[in-house]
Amino acid sequence: MNVEKIMQEVERKNPGEVEYLQAVREVLESIEEVVNENPHFETAGIIERIIDPDRVLTFKVPWVDDKGKVHVNRGFRVQFNNAIGPYKGGLRFHPSVNLSILKFLGFEQIFKNSLTTLPMGGGKGGSDFDPKGKSDNEIMRFCQAFMLELWKLIGPSTDVPAGDIGVGGREIGYMYGMYKKLASENTGVLTGKGINWGGSLIRPEATGFGNVYFAKEMLKTKNKDFNGKLVAVSGFGNVAWGAITKATELGAKVVTISGPDGYIYDPEGISGAKIDYLLELRASNQDIVKPYSYEFPSAQFIPGKKPWEVKVDIALPCATQNELDKNDAQMLIKNGCVCVSEGANMPCTPEAVELFLENKVLFGPGKAANAGGVATSGLEMTQNSMKLSWTREEVDEKLHHIMCSIHEACVKHGKDDDGFVNYVKGANVAGFLKVANAMLDQGIV
Ligand code: NDP
């Protein structure tokens, strides 16, 4: 396989789609060796077929604000690959949403979902709608207008969307309500649902919990653990919240959270009542990071900076793509950070990842380390099909087990002759092999 030649063609077909091209290159470089060892993948066109989404759907979403003004946003659903199960992946509502971002996320999702061991294909969707500052009614009207188009494309056995940035339990609720009305059915067509109407316990915190479970497994290979460690977390959304909660439970002290305008440094640790306060702010759609520093005197708000300059043992980037670059990686390494586990999707730039690997930092790539969210979505789908609900302990145990299996798969495919585990390679190869073999079995479709 000639990675450069394939990339030239992908660049020609998808000009300017920076994030998508970045994600494709990373996977191709990781799987090059295994594809060269298995020439039948190339003969069957697996690489070309896996790189291109099955279909990309865009639609207009007109909605009315509280003052009666009409706005028009763009909606998307990228159905990437369904070789091992129905398309599955979140919906993102954020002004930065474009096709490149959704294609990168959908592409990553194929391998992530494959790693979970559950039967789920890859997809992603969303809109450039900005939920910030919108009233509850405006959010509801937007979600309903979005579903008016999306419902034609999804179904419990075809495509099962979930949440992502800007889409939490409230938005899933409004979209599910509209789907149910339009389709005249009450099925598990979305995950992240409320507990009273088909949701799974642990789903909201699953991505963050899973990320910490994965980091715990990586640390274990070096006889280390979370107890007594200092941790830097970025963002304060669904993923960051779960990660902070679990890291604290395991005895670590989380000293940062962040937003787009800066970060909070709280040397006394962010836990307990402080997390409850942050959740209240989030629920009321308010700015989170700055008010925290007014409320808690131990905390300092550092404007325009990222948390990676703080001296910590473990870093958990949980906000957004490309939020940790080469300089940030250099600072973390210089300060003695031993483990970086991606809660967000592709938060570390390729240059940062390269530095971590060169310096033998334990580095967990998002497609493995944050797979706990979609894994628990898969568990929600199973509970919906079986028409029963598992307890919190049952779901958490299954999640923990899945994260350990993902770690094992990464070690199996990513360990080099010196015993160093390249988790990026391990995750890409393990995720790829399962999907590629399924595609081979199913013929040219
Ligand atoms: P949320 O919308 O709940 O939270 C995102 C958080 O990141 C917010 O606190 C936001 O701050 C902050 N943020 C956004 N942009 C920046 C930035 N440039 N710098 C610093 N902070 C920023 O999203 P999620 O927690 O659901 O998702 C976070 C990441 O995790 C995404 O990459 C997502 O794709 C990934 N992910 C999510 C899963 C899930 O289950 N939700 C599953 C797997 C991956 P503010 O609100 O102030 O904008």
Side-chain angles (χ1 to χ4, degrees):
M1 174 171 89
N2 184 333
V3 174
E4 288 315 319
K5 202 164 153 218
I6 299 174
M7 279 312 297
Q8 272 172 18
E9 187 58 9
V10 183
E11 281 163 20
R12 190 188 65 75
K13 279 192 186 160
N14 305 277
E17 296 191 356
V18 182
E19 296 84 0
Y20 171 57
L21 296 170
Q22 180 182 335
V24 172
R25 177 177 283 281
E26 185 211 276
V27 170
L28 291 183
E29 286 177 351
S30 295
I31 62 170
E32 187 175 7
E33 198 180 310
V34 79
V35 173
N36 288 338
E37 285 164 7
N38 295 278
H40 53 287
F41 288 142
E42 270 204 287
T43 317
I46 296 292
I47 310 302
E48 289 83 350
R49 285 159 63 202
I50 214 168
I51 287 172
D52 239 9
D54 286 351
R55 64 194 65 80
V56 173
L57 305 135
T58 65
F59 46 91
K60 182 172 69 186
V61 189
W63 60 280
V64 187
D65 72 16
D66 289 344
K67 294 187 184 120
K69 183 171 175 2
V70 174
H71 299 262
V72 179
N73 285 97
R74 179 163 289 181
F76 303 87
R77 187 72 185 162
V78 180
Q79 296 181 330
F80 227 109
N81 184 298
N82 65 353
I84 60 168
Y87 303 107
K88 177 93 196 88
L91 297 169
R92 177 176 290 193
F93 291 168
H94 193 272
S96 66
V97 162
N98 58 35
L99 208 47
S100 169
I101 289 180
L102 295 181
K103 277 164 70 182
F104 120 64
L105 290 164
F107 182 66
E108 293 272 297
Q109 199 81 45
I110 305 171
F111 308 100
K112 184 189 303 193
N113 292 2
S114 162
L115 284 170
T116 65
T117 69
L118 303 174
M120 299 182 289
K124 199 79 189 186
S127 172
D128 57 0
F129 171 72
D130 186 359
K132 259 205 186 140
K134 303 290 186 299
S135 71
D136 204 45
N137 276 328
E138 286 172 333
I139 300 273
M140 181 176 74
R141 284 196 294 274
F142 176 80
C143 290
Q144 292 176 337
F146 184 80
M147 190 48 87
L148 223 42
E149 282 295 327
L150 187 72
W151 83 281
K152 301 170 197 163
L153 318 173
I154 61 177
S157 305
T158 49
D159 184 351
V160 186
D164 191 75
I165 292 181
V167 179
R170 175 181 57 168
E171 292 75 18
I172 293 288
Y174 292 145
M175 285 191 272
Y176 188 70
M178 195 59 171
Y179 175 85
K180 196 163 59 72
K181 191 176 174 97
L182 292 163
S184 296
E185 62 171 41
N186 200 332
T187 52
V189 74
L190 290 167
T191 55
K193 299 188 287 298
I195 291 303
N196 298 332
W197 39 279
S200 174
L201 287 161
I202 305 273
R203 177 60 191 93
E205 51 274 67
T207 309
F209 275 24
N211 184 27
V212 171
Y213 290 149
F214 191 84
K216 187 174 141 214
E217 290 305 302
M218 291 198 292
L219 288 165
K220 214 196 272 177
T221 63
K222 302 278 172 214
N223 296 319
K224 294 181 197 287
D225 58 29
F226 270 89
N227 199 18
K229 302 292 186 302
L230 290 181
V231 179
V233 169
S234 61
F236 189 75
N238 270 321
V239 179
W241 161 63
I244 294 171
T245 307
K246 187 52 78 178
T248 307
E249 205 181 295
L250 296 181
K253 193 195 271 185
V254 177
V255 291
T256 69
I257 52 167
S258 71
D261 50 349
Y263 77 93
I264 287 286
Y265 173 56
D266 185 347
E268 288 187 3
I270 300 162
S271 62
K274 291 175 175 174
I275 294 187
D276 296 341
Y277 172 76
L278 288 165
L279 290 174
E280 268 171 44
L281 289 177
R282 208 155 77 96
S284 57
N285 225 0
Q286 289 183 53
D287 203 10
I288 295 174
V289 173
K290 261 189 243 165
Y292 179 97
S293 66
Y294 309 145
E295 186 73 13
F296 301 105
S298 59
Q300 200 187 342
F301 176 66
I302 293 104
K305 293 279 185 88
K306 296 184 276 182
W308 318 124
E309 59 187 16
V310 175
K311 186 171 166 43
V312 290
D313 306 294
I314 297 164
L316 306 175
C318 294
T320 194
Q321 64 272 358
N322 293 329
E323 54 158 319
L324 194 163
D325 63 19
K326 190 177 171 185
N327 290 339
D328 301 320
Q330 267 159 351
M331 271 188 287
L332 283 167
I333 294 165
K334 189 171 120 253
N335 284 331
C337 176
V338 293
C339 175
V340 178
S341 193
E342 294 188 325
N345 284 311
M346 213 167 73
C348 301
T349 63
E351 297 77 21
V353 176
E354 208 178 306
L355 266 184
F356 290 138
L357 296 179
E358 269 170 30
N359 286 275
K360 309 276 186 234
V361 171
L362 294 166
F363 175 74
K367 62 170 73 71
N370 72 31
V374 72
T376 310
S377 278
L379 299 177
E380 182 174 329
M381 287 161 73
T382 308
Q383 291 169 81
N384 292 162
S385 306
M386 295 164 79
K387 306 221 180 300
L388 52 75
S389 299
W390 291 324
T391 63
R392 205 179 157 78
E393 290 70 28
E394 279 174 300
V395 180
D396 198 20
E397 195 192 313
K398 287 180 171 53
L399 167 65
H400 194 191
H401 178 76
I402 288 171
M403 295 315 296
C404 292
S405 313
I406 297 176
H407 180 267
E408 257 175 52
C410 292
V411 172
K412 181 174 169 199
H413 294 281
K415 202 175 202 164
D416 68 18
D417 295 340
D418 300 332
F420 174 72
V421 181
N422 178 337
Y423 288 90
V424 178
K425 181 178 175 205
N428 284 329
V429 171
F432 168 78
L433 281 176
K434 184 172 165 190
V435 178
N437 284 320
M439 289 169 75
L440 278 180
D441 292 345
Q442 293 167 17
I444 316 299
V445 287

